[in-house]
Amino acid sequence: MKHKIITFGELMLRLSPDNNERFTQAHSYEAVYGGGEANTAVSLANFNVNVSYVTKLPEHTIGQSAVNSLRQYGVGVEHIVRGGEQIGIYFLEKKTSQRPTNVIYNRKGSAFALANVDDFDWDSIFADATWFHFSGITPAISDNMAQITLLACKKAKERGITISCDLNYRSKLWSGEKANKVMSEICKYVDICIANEDDAVGIFGLDASNSDKEKNSYIAEELIKMFPNFKMVASVWRTETSITTFKLQSMIYTEGKAYYSQEFFMNILDYIGAGDAYCAGIIYSLINDFDPQKAVEFSNAASCLKHTVSGDYNLVSVDEVMKLAFAKAGNEVSR
């Protein structure tokens, strides 16, 4: 079966001070484009998957530059709506040693945030689609976007399209109470849920601290109790092992069983987009009928490699992911 993936979200301009400076020091900024679902789309395109991205962007040159950032990697842009005056922007201070990542959003007046229901023709968008992916960031952007996301899920479900959602709770975008109300309705249509502990606590108040079970497995079980339509819950997490090194591991829970990946110990170049790369790994694994253990290893390796790539997009191939996941050749010289 040939698959066509649709991802939906806001494509933003990311501005980061050069040389890991603070905002108050910066005289110049690195500019790249990205956004959760766009990052997933680029990963899938690099895996040679047929994928198109849906968003709304201004018609001016910056909007076109954002479109071009997707097109150059082979992401379909035929369903991108043009209009509005502003592209969403986020400012990023990168984590450095003990100083954590800091993000400031400037997206309230963006073309995507102000989009309305009539902007997106879901019957046309889903005409040849087999999979629909979005994140919890998208409905958090505006009340209109929460309504649009719910409508998209209903339209996808009517067509029998598989729906995946990365819960991706962002406390700077909405409260836990509002997230719970909106996502409780949207999640009724979701087949594959990607969620970490922060998402589960922030949106659904799930606290694994009092459980004797491994926390990610516990959270997955509880989410499936809340949403029996979930066929799978997947999670990826980082554990700090020193000031500059981290351990990465992930889990897939399906049909009453948890599958855990191997652990990778990493030095990190760029955190942003690692979860989105994991989502792409999950989607690629499932459309290629990987068994759960192979799927969790592949997805974890895809996320690991994203930590080595600067910018939002994960620019790695299936072969590179396979080698890291299964051939243990990640540190060898490619000749």
Side-chain angles (χ1 to χ4, degrees):
M1 179 181 181
K2 291 185 177 180
H3 288 275
K4 170 68 177 292
I5 316 300
I6 300 292
T7 74
F8 175 58
E10 182 168 31
L11 182 58
M12 294 190 294
L13 175 62
R14 165 180 142 182
L15 299 174
S16 302
D18 287 336
N19 302 314
N20 290 339
E21 291 180 336
R22 306 301 309 270
F23 292 138
T24 51
Q25 295 175 288
H27 295 284
S28 60
Y29 286 78
E30 174 195 40
V32 299
Y33 294 97
E37 300 87 349
N39 302 341
T40 298
V42 171
S43 282
L44 288 168
N46 278 292
F47 293 163
N48 201 31
V49 173
N50 184 5
V51 56
S52 289
Y53 181 64
V54 181
T55 193
K56 185 174 182 179
L57 288 166
E59 294 186 35
H60 55 52
T61 305
I62 299 300
Q64 188 59 46
S65 297
V67 173
N68 293 347
S69 76
L70 298 170
R71 182 182 283 132
Q72 68 176 313
Y73 297 113
V75 175
V77 297
E78 67 274 15
H79 297 300
I80 292 180
V81 178
R82 305 304 292 271
E85 299 180 357
Q86 181 178 318
I87 186 172
I89 298 172
Y90 76 103
F91 298 88
L92 171 72
E93 278 184 346
K94 296 178 183 178
K95 175 179 171 59
T96 304
S97 190
Q98 288 97 335
R99 172 158 58 88
T101 301
N102 183 25
V103 173
I104 297 175
Y105 291 113
N106 181 14
R107 66 198 306 179
K108 286 186 178 180
S110 71
F112 190 75
L114 298 179
N116 60 62
V117 172
D118 295 334
D119 280 326
F120 304 99
D121 181 356
W122 293 109
D123 289 326
S124 174
I125 291 167
F126 289 144
D128 57 351
T130 59
W131 194 294
F132 176 54
H133 176 76
F134 66 98
S135 80
I137 294 173
T138 297
I141 291 170
S142 66
D143 290 341
N144 268 5
M145 200 47 63
Q147 181 184 359
I148 292 167
T149 305
L150 179 58
L151 176 61
C153 288
K154 290 179 177 179
K155 289 285 190 179
K157 188 58 65 176
E158 287 173 6
R159 290 177 172 270
I161 294 169
T162 300
I163 301 173
S164 59
C165 174
D166 180 1
L167 289 183
N168 232 343
Y169 177 62
R170 294 290 183 267
S171 61
K172 290 186 177 182
L173 294 179
W174 57 358
S175 67
E177 182 180 6
K178 186 170 185 178
N180 184 295
K181 181 179 179 180
V182 173
M183 294 307 295
S184 291
E185 185 63 26
I186 289 174
C187 281
K188 294 176 183 177
Y189 299 90
V190 170
D191 300 294
I192 310 298
C193 178
I194 297 95
N196 63 25
E197 184 179 14
D198 290 341
D199 302 327
V201 172
I203 299 175
F204 296 117
L206 295 177
D207 184 2
S209 61
N210 294 323
S211 172
D212 293 333
K213 298 179 180 179
E214 192 277 322
K215 63 181 180 181
N216 295 284
S217 175
Y218 168 80
I219 288 168
E221 288 181 8
E222 293 302 307
L223 285 172
I224 290 174
K225 288 177 185 177
M226 295 173 66
F227 303 101
N229 47 288
F230 286 177
K231 297 179 178 67
M232 176 182 289
V233 176
S235 183
V236 62
W237 61 92
R238 284 186 299 256
T239 305
E240 191 169 307
T241 54
S242 73
I243 292 172
T244 57
T245 61
F246 291 79
K247 179 176 67 176
L248 186 77
Q249 192 175 20
S250 59
M251 178 213 70
I252 284 175
Y253 188 95
T254 185
E255 297 183 346
K257 183 177 178 180
Y259 299 83
Y260 294 88
S261 72
Q262 64 183 300
E263 298 174 338
F264 291 120
F265 291 84
M266 313 177 300
N267 291 295
I268 295 174
L269 177 64
D270 198 328
Y271 292 78
I272 305 299
D276 309 319
Y278 182 72
C279 292
I282 292 290
I283 295 170
Y284 182 85
S285 296
L286 296 182
I287 66 174
N288 284 283
D289 299 320
F290 289 4
D291 64 51
Q293 191 62 51
K294 185 175 180 180
V296 75
E297 298 292 1
F298 182 88
S299 304
N300 193 60
S303 181
C304 178
L305 287 173
K306 172 59 194 75
H307 290 83
T308 72
V309 181
S310 182
D312 272 41
Y313 298 154
N314 193 23
L315 308 179
V316 301
S317 67
V318 169
D319 184 59
E320 289 173 312
V321 177
M322 286 289 193
K323 284 181 178 178
L324 179 60
F326 305 112
K328 302 187 184 301
N331 295 320
E332 294 180 4
V333 177
S334 180
R335 301 184 187 276

